[in-house]
């Protein structure tokens, strides 16, 4: 193992860039003041950071999966606009004492996820630029770029209308369950009850269902669920001036697989060997599905009430009114917020 | 003063976004999964971070100037490609305990510099998106986007030819002098010899000469000097397969104003009240001009040998060969590198 401080910036950069494949639209690649790429349509852009101590800790750091997560959360935002990813700019700050193999794993994780998105969508999603810095904390700061045709435009949050169906692609609650498992002391390498390791994997390296974008419903609004269904559906409801009513029964298939994890977490939290009640297990599993972010499932509203598009399930309906409901009961929007509120 | 942890993310974001002015090309602004902007030509993109403890310390932190610096280093990279800035994506990570007024000053500094660039170039350069995170360290991660016409293309580093003149817009060495002054204990608020405070100001908040882009020479290659003239001119020489010969006399006007700072720094470094020699003063001032980055001066090579364009001074000539020279003597390329090499 070799520390970055033994190699210096140029050598480290060469090691990282060896993992990169150039996009076919690349005119000027890394190594100049800026990259130049051919682009068609309107530009879609978004940026997201992951910060050590805030979004992950050294206790459960997996460099490769951190790269996957950093790329996934940005690519999901681009896809949630109905846009085609154009490429990523990757800024990484890590301590001098970092081993170059770990930094390479981080970068390769980003490349891997961008390439997975590209495979699912049918074209390459390259890393087109970025920056590398020394830092006391590990920070990833990624900008994802994409394009939409100027005629079709982007899918924003404000187009939902009463009567539209609500569809979900991907999963909900798995990453939140994984996070509570990590907080409860579970680790991927432990001998865990079946299925729990894969929930932790979703927390560490979410896998948005980019393929669903290739057969998405004709959407009036769309969002990626990064802060929880309740919060993100609430954002659509607010922006569109509608009420989003969730059908509890439609969530069953999402809640059921989380029960073993809920039982594990509640038992770990309880004093001695107290046995969690079925009601408590059910409540926690439902809480993860309703309020947990970071799976990066896609939620779309659509006026088209045909059969569910492949990869999408109908989970509710937009109605006149405001806020979010679950079988008639109001759902508080309780998603994640930085700075302790 | 109000700490971020008392306000929460949404309220903080509202405070920041109040400083922002939307661009005329904006289709979807902040508050959705991603921004959408109208764009024409090829896309130019670059990203740069500033990290507490690496690029600045709390000892001399000025939030507003940090914002100016973060914007300037990114905008200069876009301009050095011959591109028109399109907008910035601004990711900021700061501690929970940060006062919202300080974070606002940081964001407003970024807006101010983008607007200064816009004024000098003749159109608005907006903040089009970004991210905000809690963090143990202050980190800015900015992506600057720009455009070049597909026909004209970008100014890369590889087009310089023997016989081309070398032109400079802006300054060299001022930020490096400012940094050594800070390391020597000088502070902007101290009662310093005349001119020294403005050198520190250049280190804290460089002011690239964006206006020079409106009457730049017909360039065969261009770069912004972020790591020092020797290193950055060496990059053009390497990429173009030429030798860059600097005319020492042409640097006189850059070296002379740095002598008082060199004298101050050498005296501060010396034991007791030792008096630095004129030779030592001259050597340090020249070192700052040759090897100091962060003023973000622009260096261009051009085959056109007409009178100097307004705002540009001729500082040398490209020749057959390799490397960088100063009046015939080889100049080591000694620019800044992360990770201690």
């Amino acid at each position: 193992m070799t520390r970055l401080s033994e190699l210096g910036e140029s050598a480290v950069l060469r090691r990282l860039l060896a993992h990169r494949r150039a996009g076919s639209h690349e005119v000027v690649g890394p190594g100049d003041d800026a990259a130049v790429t051919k682009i068609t349509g309107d530009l879609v852009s978004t940026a997201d950071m992951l910060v050590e101590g805030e979004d992950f800790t050294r206790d459960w750091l997996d460099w490769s999966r951190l790269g996957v997560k950093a790329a996934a959360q940005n690519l999901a935002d681009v896809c949630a606009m109905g846009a085609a990813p154009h490429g990523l700019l990757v800024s990484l700050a890590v301590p001098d004492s970092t081993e170059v193999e770990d930094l390479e794993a981080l970068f390769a994780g980003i490349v891997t996820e961008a390439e997975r998105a590209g495979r699912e969508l049918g074209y390459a999603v390259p890393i087109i630029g970025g920056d590398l810095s020394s830092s006391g904390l590990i920070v990833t700061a990624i900008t994802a770029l994409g394009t939409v045709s100027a005629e079709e435009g982007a899918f924003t949050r404000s187009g939902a209308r009463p009567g539209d169906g609500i569809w979900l692609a991907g999963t909900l609650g798995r990453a939140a369950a994984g996070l509570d498992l990590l907080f409860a002391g579970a680790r991927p390498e432990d001998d865990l009850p079946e299925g729990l390791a894969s929930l932790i994997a979703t927390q560490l390296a979410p896998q948005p269902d980019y393929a669903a974008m290739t057969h998405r419903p004709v959407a009036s609004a769309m969002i990626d669920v990064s802060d929880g269904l309740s919060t993100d559906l609430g954002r659509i409801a607010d922006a569109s001036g509608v009420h989003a009513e969730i059908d509890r029964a439609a969530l069953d298939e999402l809640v059921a697989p989380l029960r073993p994890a809920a039982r594990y977490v509640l038992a770990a939290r309880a004093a001695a060997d107290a046995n969690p009640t079925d009601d408590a297990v059910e409540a926690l599993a439902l809480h993860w599905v309703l309020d947990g972010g970071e799976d990066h499932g896609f939620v779309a509203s659509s006026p088209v009430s045909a059969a569910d598009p492949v990869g999408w399930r109908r989970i509710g309906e937009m109605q006149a009114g405001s806020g979010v409901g679950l079988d008639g009961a109001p759902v508080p929007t309780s998603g994640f917020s930085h700075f302790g509120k």
Side-chain angles (χ1 to χ4, degrees), chain A:
Chain A
M1 306 293 259
T2 313
R3 293 182 193 279
L4 302 184
S5 50
E6 299 168 51
L7 279 176
E9 187 174 356
S10 306
V12 172
L13 269 177
R14 274 194 300 276
R15 291 273 289 257
L16 296 190
L17 291 175
H19 294 268
R20 191 191 82 98
R21 246 176 287 183
S24 59
H25 56 23
E26 186 171 295
V27 182
V28 177
D32 216 300
D33 291 301
V36 182
T37 48
K38 293 279 170 198
I39 193 162
T40 310
D42 289 350
L43 178 66
V44 174
S45 56
T46 179
D48 255 311
M49 283 178 291
L50 292 173
V51 179
E52 180 184 345
E54 178 74 12
D55 299 297
F56 61 93
T57 83
R58 293 260 172 182
D59 290 346
W60 67 66
L61 172 61
D62 176 317
W63 291 87
S64 170
R65 283 171 158 166
L66 179 64
V68 169
K69 182 176 184 133
Q73 69 175 19
N74 280 282
L75 288 164
D77 277 331
V78 166
C79 289
M81 299 300 285
H86 177 82
L88 303 178
L89 288 113
V90 174
S91 292
L92 304 176
V94 297
D96 277 351
S97 58
T98 303
E99 281 158 2
V100 68
E101 291 80 4
D102 287 336
L103 181 61
E104 276 188 88
L106 172 59
F107 190 81
I110 294 168
V111 170
T112 298
E113 182 63 7
E115 293 189 344
R116 187 178 75 81
R119 270 195 313 280
E120 294 205 356
L121 294 166
Y123 53 82
V125 180
I127 314 302
I128 54 180
D131 189 26
L132 185 59
S133 184
S134 180
S135 167
L137 293 176
I138 304 165
V139 178
T140 71
I142 294 188
T143 291
L145 304 174
T147 56
V148 289
S149 91
E151 296 71 42
E152 291 180 22
F155 295 160
T156 65
R157 300 175 179 179
S158 59
R161 295 291 170 265
D164 287 357
I166 303 171
W167 273 271
L168 168 74
T171 61
L172 295 172
R174 292 178 49 88
L179 183 62
D180 276 348
L181 286 166
L182 285 166
F183 281 136
R187 293 290 175 272
E189 60 276 17
D190 293 349
D191 184 23
L192 297 170
E194 195 183 334
L196 268 56
S198 87
L199 299 175
I200 294 173
T202 300
Q203 167 60 35
L204 297 178
Q207 300 278 283
D209 183 11
Y210 308 112
M213 289 299 135
T214 61
H215 31 74
R216 64 185 174 230
V218 178
S220 52
M222 191 153 64
I223 197 167
D224 98 284
V225 182
S226 49
D227 293 334
L229 179 67
S230 52
T231 294
D232 287 316
L233 203 46
R235 288 176 172 144
I236 288 186
D238 282 354
S240 300
V242 298
H243 170 83
E245 182 63 23
I246 304 168
D247 175 10
R248 170 66 185 81
L251 302 182
D252 270 346
E253 285 177 33
L254 298 162
V255 172
L258 303 183
R259 284 184 197 125
R263 197 168 296 279
Y264 183 101
V265 167
L266 290 170
R269 287 178 186 170
D273 52 2
N275 209 6
T277 66
D278 287 352
D279 280 358
V281 166
E282 196 65 15
L284 180 56
L286 180 62
H287 167 64
W288 285 332
V289 168
L290 279 180
D291 304 318
E294 299 193 286
D295 288 30
H296 300 287
F298 297 104
V299 168
S301 62
S302 172
V304 180
S305 58
D308 290 357
V310 178
W312 294 78
R313 74 181 81 209
R314 189 179 165 117
I315 60 166
E317 188 184 67
M318 297 299 182
Q319 300 176 350
S322 64
V324 179
L326 180 72
D327 283 1
V331 173
T333 58
S334 53
F336 178 77
S337 162
H338 286 293
F339 310 122
K341 284 242 176 157

